[in-house]
């Protein structure tokens, strides 16, 4: 059995994260990026998100609303961040459904969600991931800044 | 003519960035995300990148190497960041070519590039954007953290 190093270092620069670690990182991150495919071309949009059981609630702007209307059903949410000496990245791949306005309003009130943008043109989506993966890499002192 | 506010605020929460502003933001950011499409499904990968004239040099892991081998020619680079009270996001959409090893080595030496990962499995790509767009949004004091 291959031993997975607990912390990446110069000898083991990449650490594969467990699914539990991925969910934990997602829970502590307010901003991610949603990638969609429209007419076989990718597009990316910043989104706020909140893990919710085994799904993820996403909130996006009118640009997201417009894109998902034409998107294939498969999407990816990516989030990343930096700790001391490492960078992590998590991807949640799956399908989505649009959350209707009454349901969204209830969720926002119940969970006291604070999306960064607002307005009637925004959209809430529920992402049902069928795969959540992540990696953490060591970043040396020689990085660019 | 619609006046574009210089700084987003609660009255004008979204500011559309000029292409020059987008390039300036890209130049000051070491980490972005590359979205690709494989078999009509999107995928995202963290990448280091450096603007280079009207193109962008990208550096990615073996996961990027594997994905672009199967990707449609259209890709998107996204980068975002936070300033006081605002969040910005820039997208560079276009096509790519793989940069061969000798050319990549010359660029790394000439420009003293410091990618965050390294090794023979990594890949350098040249992105030729045909569209660079960006937005800056105001983030209120009520955000989640």
């Amino acid at each position: 059995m291959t031993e997975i190093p607990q912390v990446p270092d110069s000898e083991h620069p990449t650490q594969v994260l467990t699914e539990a670690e991925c969910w934990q990182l997602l829970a502590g991150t307010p901003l991610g990026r949603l990638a969609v495919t429209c007419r076989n071309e990718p597009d990316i949009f910043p989104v706020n998100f909140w893990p919710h059981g085994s799904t993820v609630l996403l909130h996006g702007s009118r640009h997201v609303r417009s894109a998902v209307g034409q998107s294939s059903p498969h999407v990816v949410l990516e989030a990343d961040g930096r700790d001391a000496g490492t960078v992590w990245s998590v991807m949640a791949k799956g399908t989505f459904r649009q959350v209707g306005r009454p349901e969204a309003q209830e969720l926002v009130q119940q969970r006291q969600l604070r999306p960064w943008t607002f307005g009637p043109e925004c959209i809430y989506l529920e992402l049902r991931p069928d795969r959540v993966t992540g990696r953490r890499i060591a970043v040396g002192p020689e990085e660019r800044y």
Side-chain angles (χ1 to χ4, degrees), chain A:
Chain A
M1 195 179 136
T2 309
E3 192 183 324
I4 297 170
Q6 286 305 298
V7 176
D9 53 34
S10 57
E11 206 171 328
H12 306 95
T14 301
Q15 175 196 1
V16 175
L17 301 174
T18 66
E19 194 173 327
E21 287 171 321
C22 291
W23 281 102
Q24 201 174 359
L25 288 164
L26 289 179
T29 309
L31 187 71
R33 295 102 205 150
L34 181 70
V36 303
T37 294
C38 302
R39 294 177 297 277
N40 210 33
E41 290 190 17
D43 218 335
I44 308 186
F45 302 92
V47 289
N48 286 127
F49 68 91
W50 305 270
H52 185 57
S54 60
T55 68
V56 186
L57 185 67
L58 311 180
H59 178 268
S61 67
R62 64 187 171 88
H63 304 282
V64 175
R65 175 185 288 276
S66 167
V68 298
Q70 309 167 58
S71 168
S72 83
H74 297 277
V75 297
V76 189
L77 172 71
E78 191 267 0
D80 52 54
R82 299 187 62 178
D83 300 329
T86 70
V87 177
W88 60 265
S89 174
V90 169
M91 288 80 165
K93 295 188 183 183
T95 53
F96 68 90
R97 71 172 178 95
Q98 185 173 338
V99 177
R101 191 161 300 274
E103 185 185 351
Q105 282 176 338
E106 202 177 311
L107 282 168
V108 167
Q109 286 191 342
Q110 268 180 3
R111 304 188 55 204
Q112 300 195 299
L113 306 182
R114 295 285 180 269
W116 290 3
T117 55
F118 53 92
E121 291 177 322
C122 289
I123 190 171
Y124 281 90
L125 302 174
E126 183 188 64
L127 171 65
R128 299 173 186 269
D130 41 49
R131 209 167 154 226
V132 179
T133 57
R135 296 185 293 278
R136 186 185 289 279
I137 63 163
V139 175
E142 287 201 334
E143 60 169 295
R144 197 166 66 138
Y145 65 61

